[in-house]
Amino acid sequence: PRLLSQFFFADERVTRVVAEINGLDAELDPQQYLVLLNQLHLSQAHLLAVLERIMEECIPTQRHSRDYLVKFPEELLVDNLGNHMLFAAECLLAGTFLEMEESDGAQLRPKARNLLCSLELVRTVLREQSLSQPSSYPEAVRTVLIQFDRLFAEFELSYVSSLVAVKSPDEIYRQQEIIVLFCETVERALHLGYLNQEMIDGYEPLLMFTIPRLAIISGLLIYPEGPLSLERSPEEMSRVFSPFYNLLKKIRDLLRVLSAEELCLLERSLCTAE
């Protein structure tokens, strides 16, 4: 159950697969080479997972901030992102610039080199510690883990920023505005009896349609200063709503002519119609 012992065997697995790859002629046996590459990918992912648990146990209050992850596109926030970063660093150090300009890759190479050197140091120190005192983390171990964690975060942010357009602070704020609007919409719908707590606690599938519909009405009429404010230009709105700017204006104009009873009837119908 000791994490350092788990790390030792995970590290052994990576070392063994790398040795097999180095001893294989890829041109003579390309199929076996692909098999070994897949094994390396899996073994490195396991090694990083164990290392992550060790850092959470050893330096929980000294971890480098990962707040920058909110800037990343949602499709990048996957479980194997860390392993992809490691593969990217290895490619950059080998002079292979995947999906990026050569100039950007050249700028990232020093960070990739520092990261991989730091990982090798971590592997060496943790292996030695696992063979001597696998139940403790002396200061030397903590120091190399803190350095690795920082270098990994810095490389991750720099690498992703060179590939995709990360969200600006304004975009993040607009997303938070939408979250607040949806929360206030749900609270209002509960208060008016459009929804009940059992539907929310039970993850009623109909809510995936109901809440956004009610949020549009709330955003246009109840909270007109929020993220659906049509006093803003389309460019100032969230990208979720900006393509529908003209349609939202038409919806708002139609809603304004409804009486309170008609609005209530409309909202209730939106909670049942599929």
Side-chain angles (χ1 to χ4, degrees), residues 234-249:
E235 293 75 19
E236 295 175 313
M237 297 179 69
S238 166
R239 286 181 291 180
V240 175
F241 298 116
S242 58
F244 310 103
Y245 184 82
N246 292 329
L247 177 60
L248 289 170
K249 291 183 68 173

